[in-house]
Protein backbone atom coordinates (compact mmCIF):
# COMPACT_ATOMS: atom_id res chain seq x y z
CA UNK A 1 0.00 0.00 0.00
CA UNK A 2 1.18 3.54 -0.66
CA UNK A 3 2.46 5.45 2.39
CA UNK A 4 -0.42 7.94 2.26
CA UNK A 5 -2.99 5.14 2.57
CA UNK A 6 -0.99 3.39 5.31
CA UNK A 7 -0.92 6.63 7.32
CA UNK A 8 -4.66 7.11 6.79
CA UNK A 9 -5.33 3.63 8.15
CA UNK A 10 -2.98 3.93 11.17
CA UNK A 11 -4.48 3.70 14.61
CA UNK A 12 -3.96 6.79 16.74
CA UNK A 13 -4.77 6.24 20.42
CA UNK A 14 -7.23 8.67 21.96
CA UNK A 15 -8.78 9.00 25.40
CA UNK A 16 -12.54 8.64 25.16
CA UNK A 17 -15.08 9.40 27.89
CA UNK A 18 -18.06 7.15 27.13
CA UNK A 19 -20.25 8.63 29.88
CA UNK A 20 -21.00 11.32 27.29
CA UNK A 21 -22.42 8.64 24.97
CA UNK A 22 -25.06 7.79 27.59
CA UNK A 23 -28.12 9.94 28.46
CA UNK A 24 -26.39 11.01 31.72
CA UNK A 25 -26.03 14.71 30.80
CA UNK A 26 -29.53 14.86 29.33
CA UNK A 27 -30.95 13.32 32.53
CA UNK A 28 -28.93 15.75 34.64
CA UNK A 29 -30.36 18.65 32.63
CA UNK A 30 -33.93 17.39 32.86
CA UNK A 31 -33.62 16.78 36.62
CA UNK A 32 -32.29 20.33 37.10
CA UNK A 33 -35.06 21.75 34.93
CA UNK A 34 -37.74 19.88 36.89
CA UNK A 35 -36.41 21.47 40.10
CA UNK A 36 -36.99 24.89 38.51
CA UNK A 37 -40.24 23.93 36.76
CA UNK A 38 -41.92 21.17 38.84
CA UNK A 39 -44.96 21.05 36.53
CA UNK A 40 -42.73 19.42 33.88
CA UNK A 41 -42.30 16.27 36.01
CA UNK A 42 -45.67 14.90 34.88
CA UNK A 43 -45.28 16.00 31.25
CA UNK A 44 -41.90 14.54 30.25
CA UNK A 45 -41.32 10.98 29.11
CA UNK A 46 -38.01 9.53 27.93
CA UNK A 47 -38.37 6.27 26.00
CA UNK A 48 -35.28 4.10 25.62
CA UNK A 49 -35.47 1.89 22.53
CA UNK A 50 -33.31 -1.21 22.49
CA UNK A 51 -31.59 -3.37 25.05
CA UNK A 52 -31.42 -1.62 28.40
CA UNK A 53 -27.80 -1.21 29.56
CA UNK A 54 -27.04 -2.69 33.00
CA UNK A 55 -26.21 0.79 34.37
CA UNK A 56 -29.36 2.56 33.17
CA UNK A 57 -31.62 1.97 36.20
CA UNK A 58 -28.97 3.35 38.56
CA UNK A 59 -28.51 6.43 36.37
CA UNK A 60 -32.27 7.03 36.24
CA UNK A 61 -32.51 6.70 40.06
CA UNK A 62 -29.60 9.10 40.54
CA UNK A 63 -31.67 11.83 38.88
CA UNK A 64 -35.02 10.70 40.34
CA UNK A 65 -36.52 10.13 36.90
CA UNK A 66 -38.01 6.66 37.42
CA UNK A 67 -41.50 7.95 36.56
CA UNK A 68 -40.18 9.67 33.42
CA UNK A 69 -38.21 6.84 31.82
CA UNK A 70 -39.57 3.75 30.10
CA UNK A 71 -38.01 0.95 28.08
CA UNK A 72 -39.22 -0.83 24.96
CA UNK A 73 -36.59 -3.53 24.72
CA UNK A 74 -35.44 -4.67 21.31
CA UNK A 75 -37.84 -3.82 18.48
CA UNK A 76 -38.12 -4.61 14.79
CA UNK A 77 -37.07 -1.75 12.49
CA UNK A 78 -40.69 -0.91 11.63
CA UNK A 79 -41.60 -0.80 15.32
CA UNK A 80 -38.67 1.54 15.98
CA UNK A 81 -39.91 3.90 13.28
CA UNK A 82 -43.39 3.78 14.77
CA UNK A 83 -42.03 4.73 18.21
CA UNK A 84 -39.91 7.52 16.73
CA UNK A 85 -42.89 8.90 14.83
CA UNK A 86 -44.74 9.43 18.13
CA UNK A 87 -41.83 11.28 19.75
CA UNK A 88 -41.53 15.05 19.94
CA UNK A 89 -37.74 15.24 20.27
CA UNK A 90 -35.00 12.71 19.62
CA UNK A 91 -31.79 12.54 21.69
CA UNK A 92 -28.35 12.28 20.15
CA UNK A 93 -25.14 11.90 22.15
CA UNK A 94 -21.46 11.55 21.39
CA UNK A 95 -18.24 10.47 23.03
CA UNK A 96 -15.99 13.13 24.56
CA UNK A 97 -12.46 12.92 23.17
CA UNK A 98 -9.82 14.36 25.49
CA UNK A 99 -7.82 16.91 23.51
CA UNK A 100 -9.70 16.17 20.29
CA UNK A 101 -13.01 15.90 18.51
CA UNK A 102 -15.53 13.08 18.30
CA UNK A 103 -15.10 11.18 15.06
CA UNK A 104 -18.38 9.24 14.81
CA UNK A 105 -21.68 10.08 13.19
CA UNK A 106 -24.37 7.83 14.68
CA UNK A 107 -26.44 5.96 12.10
CA UNK A 108 -29.58 6.45 14.19
CA UNK A 109 -29.30 10.16 13.37
CA UNK A 110 -30.47 9.34 9.85
CA UNK A 111 -33.45 7.39 11.27
CA UNK A 112 -34.30 10.51 13.28
CA UNK A 113 -34.07 12.75 10.21
CA UNK A 114 -36.30 10.39 8.23
CA UNK A 115 -38.97 10.98 10.90
CA UNK A 116 -38.65 14.76 10.43
CA UNK A 117 -38.21 15.26 14.16
CA UNK A 118 -35.97 17.71 16.00
CA UNK A 119 -32.67 16.18 17.11
CA UNK A 120 -31.47 17.33 20.53
CA UNK A 121 -27.72 16.82 20.44
CA UNK A 122 -26.05 16.57 23.84
CA UNK A 123 -22.78 16.28 21.98
CA UNK A 124 -19.18 17.42 22.16
CA UNK A 125 -17.39 19.00 19.18
CA UNK A 126 -16.88 16.63 16.29
CA UNK A 127 -18.71 14.76 13.56
CA UNK A 128 -22.11 14.47 15.27
CA UNK A 129 -22.13 18.11 16.39
CA UNK A 130 -21.07 19.40 12.98
CA UNK A 131 -23.62 17.27 11.18
CA UNK A 132 -26.55 18.37 13.35
CA UNK A 133 -25.54 22.03 13.07
CA UNK A 134 -24.73 22.05 9.35
CA UNK A 135 -27.77 20.01 8.31
CA UNK A 136 -30.03 22.20 10.46
CA UNK A 137 -31.82 19.10 11.76
CA UNK A 138 -31.55 19.91 15.44
CA UNK A 139 -29.87 21.84 18.16
CA UNK A 140 -26.51 21.19 19.79
CA UNK A 141 -26.27 21.52 23.56
CA UNK A 142 -22.94 21.38 25.39
CA UNK A 143 -23.33 18.63 27.99
CA UNK A 144 -20.67 20.27 30.17
CA UNK A 145 -22.55 23.58 30.48
CA UNK A 146 -25.48 22.69 32.74
CA UNK A 147 -26.90 26.21 33.08
CA UNK A 148 -26.97 26.72 29.30
CA UNK A 149 -28.38 23.21 28.79
CA UNK A 150 -31.22 23.88 31.25
CA UNK A 151 -32.07 27.21 29.60
CA UNK A 152 -32.07 25.71 26.08
CA UNK A 153 -34.21 22.74 27.11
CA UNK A 154 -36.64 25.03 28.94
CA UNK A 155 -36.96 27.21 25.84
CA UNK A 156 -37.49 24.19 23.57
CA UNK A 157 -40.06 22.57 25.86
CA UNK A 158 -42.10 25.74 26.33
CA UNK A 159 -41.68 27.39 22.93
CA UNK A 160 -40.88 24.53 20.57
CA UNK A 161 -38.25 24.60 17.86
CA UNK A 162 -38.82 24.86 14.13
CA UNK A 163 -36.07 23.81 11.76
CA UNK A 164 -35.52 23.98 8.03
CA UNK A 165 -33.16 21.11 7.20
CA UNK A 166 -30.53 21.64 4.50
CA UNK A 167 -31.83 19.14 1.94
CA UNK A 168 -28.89 19.60 -0.44
CA UNK A 169 -26.44 18.70 2.34
CA UNK A 170 -28.57 15.73 3.44
CA UNK A 171 -28.67 14.41 -0.14
CA UNK A 172 -24.88 13.99 0.08
CA UNK A 173 -25.42 11.27 2.69
CA UNK A 174 -27.36 8.82 0.54
CA UNK A 175 -25.79 5.34 0.57
CA UNK A 176 -25.00 5.17 -3.14
CA UNK A 177 -23.25 8.58 -3.03
CA UNK A 178 -21.19 7.82 0.08
CA UNK A 179 -20.15 4.41 -1.28
CA UNK A 180 -19.05 6.06 -4.52
CA UNK A 181 -17.01 8.69 -2.64
CA UNK A 182 -15.33 6.03 -0.49
CA UNK A 183 -14.45 4.05 -3.60
CA UNK A 184 -12.92 7.16 -5.20
CA UNK A 185 -10.81 7.87 -2.09
CA UNK A 186 -9.52 4.29 -1.96
CA UNK A 187 -8.78 4.21 -5.69
CA UNK A 188 -7.00 7.58 -5.52
CA UNK A 189 -4.79 6.48 -2.63
CA UNK A 190 -3.98 3.12 -4.17
CA UNK A 191 -2.98 4.67 -7.48
CA UNK A 192 -0.50 7.06 -5.82
Amino acid sequence: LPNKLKKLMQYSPVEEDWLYRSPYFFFRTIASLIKLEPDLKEKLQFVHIGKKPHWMDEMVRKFNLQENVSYTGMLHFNEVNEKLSHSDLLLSTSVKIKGGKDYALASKTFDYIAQKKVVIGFVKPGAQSSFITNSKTGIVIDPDNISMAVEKMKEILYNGLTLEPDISLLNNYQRKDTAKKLSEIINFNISE
Side-chain angles (χ1 to χ4, degrees):
L1 291 175
N3 286 336
K4 187 174 183 181
L5 185 57
K6 285 180 186 174
K7 185 176 180 183
L8 179 68
M9 298 178 91
Q10 282 289 338
Y11 171 73
S12 298
V14 294
E15 188 176 330
E16 300 175 341
D17 187 339
W18 279 76
L19 181 61
Y20 287 80
R21 189 71 178 86
S22 77
Y24 178 91
F25 297 95
F26 174 76
F27 288 165
R28 181 180 73 170
T29 299
I30 295 302
S32 297
L33 182 54
I34 288 172
K35 285 179 185 171
L36 296 172
E37 304 284 336
D39 62 307
L40 288 175
K41 179 76 173 164
E42 295 179 16
K43 297 177 183 176
L44 296 176
Q45 186 67 32
F46 177 87
V47 179
H48 181 273
I49 299 173
K51 182 179 177 186
K52 179 173 65 169
H54 69 280
W55 42 260
M56 186 71 109
D57 286 334
E58 182 182 333
M59 186 181 290
V60 170
R61 275 191 302 277
K62 176 182 174 88
F63 295 108
N64 193 29
L65 294 172
Q66 299 91 314
E67 297 168 22
N68 303 90
V69 177
S70 63
Y71 308 96
T72 66
M74 297 300 289
L75 298 175
H76 185 272
F77 184 73
N78 293 334
E79 295 171 306
V80 170
N81 285 332
E82 177 68 19
K83 282 283 185 195
L84 293 178
S85 73
H86 293 292
S87 299
D88 296 314
L89 305 167
L90 300 168
L91 178 65
S92 174
T93 59
S94 70
V95 173
K96 181 177 182 177
I97 306 292
K98 185 176 180 180
K101 293 183 176 185
D102 179 42
Y103 49 83
L105 180 55
S107 62
K108 70 181 174 185
T109 305
F110 296 98
D111 296 331
Y112 292 178
I113 291 167
Q115 293 297 324
K116 299 178 180 160
K117 302 288 183 172
V118 174
V119 177
I120 303 295
F122 273 72
V123 295
K124 294 306 291 178
Q128 191 77 6
S129 173
S130 295
F131 179 80
I132 293 168
T133 301
N134 294 336
S135 66
K136 299 177 183 146
T137 54
I139 186 166
V140 170
I141 297 174
D142 181 355
D144 288 326
N145 188 337
I146 184 69
S147 60
M148 182 272 296
V150 167
E151 284 305 310
K152 280 192 174 186
M153 284 306 301
K154 180 180 175 182
E155 183 179 331
I156 291 166
L157 292 173
Y158 283 113
N159 301 324
L161 184 64
T162 304
L163 300 170
E164 293 184 31
D166 184 338
I167 301 302
S168 63
L169 183 133
L170 292 173
N171 284 337
N172 291 325
Y173 287 87
Q174 293 185 35
R175 272 189 210 133
K176 63 180 181 178
D177 294 333
T178 54
K180 181 181 175 189
K181 288 175 189 170
L182 178 59
S183 174
E184 290 169 356
I185 290 169
I186 291 170
N187 288 332
F188 175 78
N189 283 296
I190 290 174
S191 65
E192 277 194 351

